[in-house]
Amino acid sequence: MTPEMIAPLFLALLASFCSTTSAQDANMDRALKLMAETPLIDGHNDLPWQLRKQFNNELNKVDLNTLETTHTNIPKVKKGRLGAQFWSAYVPCDTQYKDAVRQTLEQIDVVHRMCQKYPEVFMFASSSDDILKAFSMNKTASLIGVEGGHSLDSSLGTLRTMYQLGVRYLTLTHSCNTPWADNWRVDQGSDPSEHDGLSPFGKQLIVEMNRLGMLIDLAHVTVRVMNQVLDMSEAPVIFSHSSAYSLCKHSRNVPDEVLLRVKEKKGIVMVNFYNDYVTCRQTATLSDITFDHIKKVAGAEILGFGGDYDGVTRLPEGLEDVSKVPKLVRDSKVNSTKPDDVPIPYDDVQNPCRTSYGYPNAGTSHSFGAAALLLSLAVLTEILAL
């Protein structure tokens, strides 16, 4: 190839690169604007477990401004524009029948103490109003989810006490059966079924969670338990950190038929970033995190983020820590407008209990930020106790 031929080719490649970079920059600007107007709520982060594992919860021995051995620290939270986070109060299954309750209380405590130590960054939250308040103050709203029913020691009193301490969701099982519910490993064939889903006590616990206003998290249960809860719960349910089974046939993911039932229940599936649940391989890239399948099956309204940072060992290239989340918002098909997203005409659904956000000709003018905010908080507003 002659020098005369190389020069035009180089210029063409440079022009293409600049055009792509410019488009990416514009999309990132759009994503950051959206995140400045709307709190991104992540369903699951295991930083509290790392604080226990690495520092035995001695917060005086760690500075979250400089900590570099975790996916999450204060600079990463700020760069990641994290509006609200459900911090996981998790303890391993081998604490079951031993000291699971005590250890879980200590994990709840460390979240409270983290908020107290860094009040300029974190604000403890237990309601949708709290999330809005924290967002208005440019702080990360910090909620608690208990990951695993073994943490209750089969006690409704423990459930109620944890609710009073600010816990707003319970993952019914982790990776072990409880005396009242089967875990996901039953579907995989690794554990035997002990209850054919939920026992009578397990069903009683669902009723009590509904009464309290505590979110029911189905992220680690069998498909049988998923369907039993969807049959009986009077409130929307969540999957705090699960992906689509059709894309990666792992028992921790959600089958299409369950996605449809979550839509009917007005619940939410918060997509996990763990490589093994995204691609069923040890490697993945940012582009492998796709919302298209769930959106196609059940609609964009059930989609959420549940990164599972600091609880997994492998994350996609481009999503290595919390700071990278804006890249996913930038690239997400959720962050776009397509013909199939045209909403139903307001006149077709107008009633005294429905607002007109987003409908420019409905007689009320509201900002895009307000409309998006209502969307992001729809589930939480309905089922978190105020």
Side-chain angles (χ1 to χ4, degrees):
M1 185 178 290
T2 66
E4 291 79 7
M5 298 171 63
I6 292 174
L9 179 60
F10 173 77
L11 290 173
L13 288 172
L14 181 61
S16 175
F17 172 77
C18 291
S19 175
T20 301
T21 301
S22 177
Q24 285 187 336
D25 288 345
N27 287 337
M28 180 58 83
D29 289 344
R30 184 181 178 208
L32 293 176
K33 182 175 185 293
L34 178 64
M35 296 174 81
E37 296 172 338
T38 310
L40 186 147
I41 305 170
D42 184 272
H44 195 88
N45 185 300
D46 278 295
L47 177 62
W49 175 244
Q50 294 301 325
L51 293 175
R52 184 182 195 91
K53 192 171 161 185
Q54 297 185 38
F55 305 101
N56 200 22
N57 287 349
E58 295 181 73
L59 293 186
N60 61 318
K61 293 184 177 180
V62 57
D63 184 351
L64 290 185
N65 290 291
T66 57
L67 178 66
E68 292 296 341
T69 56
T70 56
H71 300 141
T72 313
N73 62 24
I74 287 173
K76 291 171 183 175
V77 165
K78 289 182 174 295
K79 189 174 180 181
R81 309 294 179 97
L82 193 59
Q85 179 67 66
F86 276 96
W87 303 107
S88 175
Y90 159 78
V91 297
C93 277
D94 61 9
T95 63
Q96 184 165 216
Y97 310 120
K98 299 174 185 175
D99 55 353
V101 173
R102 175 185 63 80
Q103 290 205 31
T104 303
L105 291 174
E106 291 173 353
Q107 294 311 102
I108 293 169
D109 172 69
V110 83
V111 174
H112 283 280
R113 289 191 291 121
M114 182 178 76
C115 294
Q116 292 161 7
K117 182 174 180 180
Y118 304 99
E120 71 287 355
V121 179
F122 303 115
M123 177 184 141
F124 186 77
S126 60
S127 70
S128 53
D129 279 355
D130 289 345
I131 295 173
L132 292 172
K133 182 178 179 181
F135 190 67
S136 71
M137 298 167 67
N138 199 29
K139 298 181 181 182
T140 296
S142 295
L143 302 101
I144 300 176
V146 167
E147 188 180 15
H150 60 282
S151 288
L152 301 182
D153 197 18
S154 301
S155 166
L156 295 179
T158 300
L159 176 77
R160 289 187 286 267
T161 298
M162 289 182 176
Y163 181 85
Q164 292 300 322
L165 293 173
V167 173
R168 287 301 178 265
Y169 78 63
L170 172 70
T171 314
L172 296 184
T173 63
H174 191 254
S175 297
C176 54
N177 293 340
T178 69
W180 42 270
D182 289 339
N183 83 98
W184 65 275
R185 287 164 53 87
V186 171
D187 286 345
Q188 186 177 270
S190 302
D191 289 349
S193 174
E194 297 181 30
H195 313 290
D196 189 28
L198 289 172
S199 75
F201 178 85
K203 294 175 182 177
Q204 185 183 354
L205 182 118
I206 299 304
V207 172
E208 183 64 358
M209 290 180 71
N210 280 172
R211 187 191 72 80
L212 288 171
M214 186 183 286
L215 291 157
I216 301 165
D217 178 21
L218 301 177
H220 277 262
V221 300
T222 61
V223 173
R224 173 75 171 146
V225 173
M226 294 177 195
N227 282 304
Q228 286 177 310
V229 172
L230 286 161
D231 284 341
M232 65 180 298
S233 178
E234 295 181 0
V237 302
I238 69 168
F239 287 82
S240 67
H241 55 306
S242 294
S243 298
Y245 184 83
S246 287
L247 298 180
C248 171
K249 298 190 185 317
H250 193 291
S251 298
R252 273 283 284 105
N253 288 336
V254 190
D256 286 358
E257 61 271 20
V258 175
L259 292 175
L260 286 168
R261 299 202 63 194
V262 172
K263 177 182 181 179
E264 292 168 2
K265 191 64 74 172
K266 302 186 186 304
I268 190 166
V269 176
M270 307 178 96
V271 174
N272 197 312
F273 302 165
Y274 183 38
N275 293 353
D276 298 48
Y277 303 159
V278 172
T279 61
C280 281
R281 300 188 304 273
Q282 292 191 7
T283 59
T285 65
L286 177 63
S287 62
D288 289 317
I289 303 284
T290 174
F291 298 96
D292 285 356
H293 179 78
I294 295 176
K295 182 181 176 183
K296 181 179 179 181
V297 171
E301 63 271 19
I302 79 162
L303 283 165
F305 287 15
D308 210 359
Y309 282 112
D310 283 308
V312 297
T313 54
R314 292 181 287 274
L315 288 157
E317 181 182 346
L319 277 176
E320 293 87 355
D321 60 56
V322 172
S323 72
K324 308 298 176 62
V325 170
K327 290 184 178 181
L328 184 58
V329 178
R330 177 197 68 192
D331 294 352
S332 172
K333 295 295 179 67
V334 175
N335 186 32
S336 65
T337 301
K338 291 186 175 182
D340 65 349
D341 289 332
V342 175
I344 188 170
Y346 183 70
D347 290 343
D348 293 354
V349 292
Q350 184 176 8
N351 64 67
C353 295
R354 191 179 187 97
T355 60
S356 60
Y357 293 104
Y359 290 92
N361 300 318
T364 309
S365 177
H366 299 289
S367 70
F368 170 76
L373 182 57
L374 285 174
L375 272 174
S376 72
L377 295 176
V379 175
L380 290 171
T381 301
E382 184 170 352
I383 51 183
L384 281 180
L386 299 176

